[in-house]
Amino acid sequence: MTSATTPSGARRPPTPRRRVAAVAGVAATAVALGLAELVAGLLPRGRSLVLAVGDVVVDRVPGWLERAAIAVLGTADKPVLVVGVLVVSAAVGAALGVLARRRFVLAALGLTGFAVVGVVAALADERTTPWVAVVCGLLGAVAGVAVLRVLLDAAAGPVPRAGSAPPRGVDAGSAPPRGVDAGSAPPRGVDVGRRPFLTLVAVAAVVAASTAVAGRWLAASDRVERIRAALRLPRPARPAPPVPAGAALAVPGLTPLFVPNDDFYRIDTALTVPQVDPGTWMLEVRGMVDRPFSLSYDELLAMPHVEADVTLACVSNEVGGGLVGNARWQGVPLGALLERAGVRDGATQLLGRSVDGFTAGFPVALALGTQDALVAVGMNGEPLPAAHGFPARLVVPGLYGYVSATKWLSAIELTTFEDEVGYWIPRGWARDGPVKTQSRIDVPAAASTVRPGVRPVAGVAWAPTRGIERVEVRVDDGPWVEARLADSLDVDCWRQWVLEWDAAPGRHVLTVRATDGTGEPQTDERTPVAPDGASGHHSVEVLVEG
Ligand SMILES: Nc1nc2c(c(=O)[nH]1)N[C@H]1C(S)=C(S)[C@@H](COP(=O)(O)O)O[C@H]1N2
Ligand SMILES: [Mo]
C-alpha cells in the first residue's frame, strides 16, 4: 500500500502543494469577507468589516503619515486604503491556507481571529449594531473555514483507490494500471484533483464578488434612503391648481387619477437602482450655452419651484398596457435653468445625461416657454423615490420617457441632433417621441365575468399637451357611444371616463377610442410599439352571466 492511511485505516488524500493551498486560503478569505459584507448590508445598521478596519487604521496612523498620504493620493486615499486592507487580508489568507495543509485547526482559529479583528474594529464605531457586527464576523469565519476545508479536499483530489492512477507527484512515472479501471484512469501526468479545485476556486471567487457587491449596494441604498427620508421639499412658489372635485371618478377598479409612487410603472436600463447621494451630486448645465454652471442639490432646492401634473408614458406601452402613469411633479422649470445658462443659437437638442450613462434628447424648443417641463425633485408630494430618479430627473409633458424623462440626472447638455443621439435612438427607436393619443379600459377587466344589468365601463385616456375632448365606447359591432368624462385636471394629464352599460347576457367585446383636444380621433390602425409607440383601439372581452 503506497498511499497514506488515516488511523481508522481509510486512505487520506495527499497534501496539496503550497501554492495551491495559498490559493485556497485567499479564496476562503474572500468568501468570508464577501459574506460579511452581504450580512452587513442585510441587517440593520450593519458595518462593513473591511471599511471598519480601514477606519481604525486611519484613526491610528500618525498625523504626518495621514497628511502625506492625502497629499500624494488626494481623494484616492480612501480606495487605496481599502485596497490595502484587502491586500493584507489576502496575504493573511494565503498564509493560513498554507498552514491549513498540516494544521487545519490552527488555520481555522487563525481565520476566526482574523474575523475578530474586523468585529472589534466595527464595534469601535458607535453607528454599528453590536450583535450585527458579531453575526457578520461569525458567519464570515464559519464560511471561510468551510470553504477552506472544501477547497483543500478538492486540491488533494479524490481518495485514491487501489489500482487507480496516483495523483501527480506520487509515482507519476509508473505506467497506468491495466484491468477494469484502465479505461477510466486519467492519463499519466494529469493532476487528478486540479480541475474540480479550479472550478471550486472560480465558484468561490464569484460568490465572494457577488456577495460583496450586493452587500455594498444594500448598504448604499439604505444610506441614501435614510437621507431621502429625512429630506423636506420646499413649498412650491407656484403650486398646482386645485384638483377639480369631478376629476376623480369613484369606480371600483379604475386606475386612480394620481398613481401612488409605489405603484407607478418603472422602466430603465439600470441593473440595480443607482444610489445617488444628494450631498455630493451635482447637476451640470453645459454645451452650447453662454454661461455653463453646476448646481448642488441644496442649490436646486433653493430655486423657485413649481408643481406640474403630468402623465408619463413609455413608448413600449402596448395598447391597453400599464406603462403609463399620472403624477404630481415638483421641481424647477427647465426654462429657468436655460435662461440662466443662455442657450446659444444653433442648439437644437436638449440632452439629459444620467449618472448611469443613459441619455435622452428632445427639441430645445419644448423646454422653453413652458412652466411644466421640469427638473423634478418631487413626485406626489415626496422626494423622488430612488427607482424614479432620486435626486432629480426630467419630466417633459407630451414626450415618451425614452426621449425625455432622464432619471438620476447628472447633466443637461445643449447640443444638436447631428452631434448627439439619445440612448435608444441607435437601437431602433424614433428620434422624436411625441405621445400618441391613447385610451384604456380598466373596468371591467379583460376576460372577466360580470353580472347582467347596468354596469360601469371605465378607464383612462391621455393625449399629453393636447388633452382629451371625447371618449367613446362600442359594444361588439354597435355604434360608438359617448362616455362621461371626468373633469380635466390638465391637458398634460390623463382623464378618467365612465359609461353605464346595460350588460346583456353573453360574450361581448368592449372597445374604446378617444379624441384629443385638437379634435383628432385616436386612430384604429394597429402599430407595434417600435419605433414610435403603439397605436390602435383597446378592446376587452367579457362574459355577462346568463
Ligand atoms: N437614467 C435613466 N432614465 C430613464 C430611463 C433609463 O433607462 N435610465 N428610462 C426612460 C424611460 S424609457 C421611461 S418610460 C421613463 C420611466 O420613468 P419611471 O421609471 O419613473 O416610470 O424613464 C426614462 N428615464
Ligand atoms: Mo420608456
Side-chain angles (χ1 to χ4, degrees):
M1 208 179 276
T2 51
S3 52
T5 55
T6 62
S8 65
R11 285 169 223 281
R12 175 153 48 85
T15 310
R17 295 146 165 240
R18 291 174 70 90
R19 221 186 323 147
V20 171
V23 169
V26 173
T29 313
V31 170
L33 291 177
L35 196 69
E37 290 296 329
L38 179 60
V39 177
L42 284 172
L43 295 180
R45 297 179 1 118
R47 182 88 173 97
S48 157
L49 301 187
V50 171
L51 292 183
V53 170
D55 275 348
V56 169
V57 170
V58 170
D59 291 346
R60 294 295 154 88
V61 132
W64 61 266
L65 184 55
E66 195 181 349
R67 282 190 296 277
I70 291 173
V72 174
L73 301 168
T75 52
D77 61 336
K78 293 271 152 43
V80 167
L81 184 65
V82 169
V83 169
V85 172
L86 292 178
V87 166
V88 171
S89 304
V92 170
L96 290 175
V98 172
L99 175 66
R101 293 190 307 161
R102 301 198 196 284
R103 313 292 297 273
F104 187 80
V105 173
L106 267 189
L109 284 176
L111 259 173
T112 310
F114 179 70
V116 168
V117 170
V119 173
V120 168
L123 291 178
D125 184 335
E126 62 203 21
R127 287 167 301 176
T128 313
T129 314
W131 69 266
V132 170
V134 172
V135 168
C136 289
L138 199 67
L139 288 181
V142 168
V145 171
V147 170
L148 187 58
R149 183 70 267 168
V150 168
L151 287 179
L152 287 179
D153 287 350
V159 177
R161 281 170 296 152
S164 71
R168 191 163 77 186
V170 185
D171 278 356
S174 67
R178 261 165 274 171
V180 284
D181 257 343
S184 64
R188 208 161 33 165
V190 167
D191 200 335
V192 173
R194 194 52 74 81
R195 192 125 33 96
F197 174 74
L198 288 181
T199 307
L200 285 174
V201 167
V203 170
V206 169
V207 168
S210 50
T211 49
V213 167
R216 292 314 299 155
W217 183 80
L218 286 167
S221 59
D222 185 51
R223 199 174 60 86
V224 168
E225 183 51 37
R226 267 182 286 140
I227 294 172
R228 180 183 162 272
L231 284 170
R232 289 287 161 270
L233 293 179
R235 196 179 278 279
R238 193 206 67 175
V243 176
L249 302 174
V251 178
L254 175 59
T255 307
L257 183 58
F258 292 99
V259 179
N261 291 353
D262 286 344
D263 300 337
F264 207 93
Y265 83 95
R266 176 191 158 201
I267 289 287
D268 50 63
T269 58
L271 285 181
T272 57
V273 174
Q275 300 298 327
V276 183
D277 180 347
T280 51
W281 173 86
M282 294 290 275
L283 173 62
E284 267 188 82
V285 181
R286 63 176 192 223
M288 297 170 70
V289 295
D290 292 329
R291 299 171 295 276
F293 62 92
S294 296
L295 288 176
S296 69
Y297 187 66
D298 285 342
E299 287 167 333
L300 194 59
L301 290 194
M303 294 182 73
H305 281 207
V306 303
E307 279 178 335
D309 297 338
V310 176
T311 292
L312 187 62
C314 183
V315 68
S316 296
N317 193 35
E318 302 283 352
V319 171
L323 301 181
V324 53
N326 186 60
R328 172 161 296 178
W329 309 93
Q330 172 178 337
V332 174
L334 264 174
L337 298 173
L338 296 185
E339 198 174 309
R340 176 165 160 187
V343 177
R344 293 216 181 117
D345 288 347
T348 50
Q349 181 179 215
L350 190 157
L351 192 79
R353 288 188 186 276
S354 168
V355 300
D356 70 352
F358 175 87
T359 53
F362 56 90
V364 176
L366 295 183
L368 300 167
T370 165
Q371 292 272 305
D372 293 340
L374 299 183
V375 173
V377 295
M379 179 176 183
N380 291 326
E382 54 172 295
L384 283 178
H388 295 290
F390 182 76
R393 74 173 307 167
L394 293 179
V395 173
V396 183
L399 296 180
Y400 287 122
Y402 82 106
V403 287
S404 66
T406 306
K407 302 192 277 189
W408 314 291
L409 185 68
S410 60
I412 293 168
E413 195 168 297
L414 279 300
T415 178
T416 65
F417 286 99
E418 290 71 40
D419 287 343
E420 296 279 357
V421 284
Y423 179 88
W424 283 113
I425 313 312
R427 293 170 171 82
W429 298 83
R431 192 193 83 175
D432 298 322
V435 179
K436 295 181 179 176
T437 302
Q438 269 295 344
S439 50
R440 187 179 75 196
I441 299 171
D442 293 338
V443 181
S448 62
T449 304
V450 299
R451 282 176 296 122
V454 177
R455 303 278 161 239
V457 178
V460 286
W462 61 95
T465 69
R466 302 180 297 279
I468 292 293
E469 179 179 285
R470 183 166 52 245
V471 168
E472 295 156 292
V473 174
R474 186 173 64 186
V475 180
D476 302 319
D477 292 328
W480 287 106
V481 180
E482 203 164 330
R484 179 165 70 83
L485 283 173
D487 287 345
S488 170
L489 182 61
D490 191 290
V491 289
D492 294 336
C493 298
W494 64 18
R495 206 165 166 180
Q496 297 180 336
W497 55 266
V498 63
L499 176 75
E500 298 301 333
W501 168 45
D502 196 0
R507 287 198 178 279
H508 296 289
V509 175
L510 306 170
T511 304
V512 64
R513 77 170 178 198
T515 299
D516 73 12
T518 71
E520 189 72 37
Q522 182 188 330
T523 175
D524 67 349
E525 191 200 334
R526 275 269 181 176
T527 60
V529 294
D532 64 354
S535 69
H537 296 164
H538 183 217
S539 295
V540 298
E541 194 183 306
V542 295
L543 175 65
V544 181
E545 287 169 338

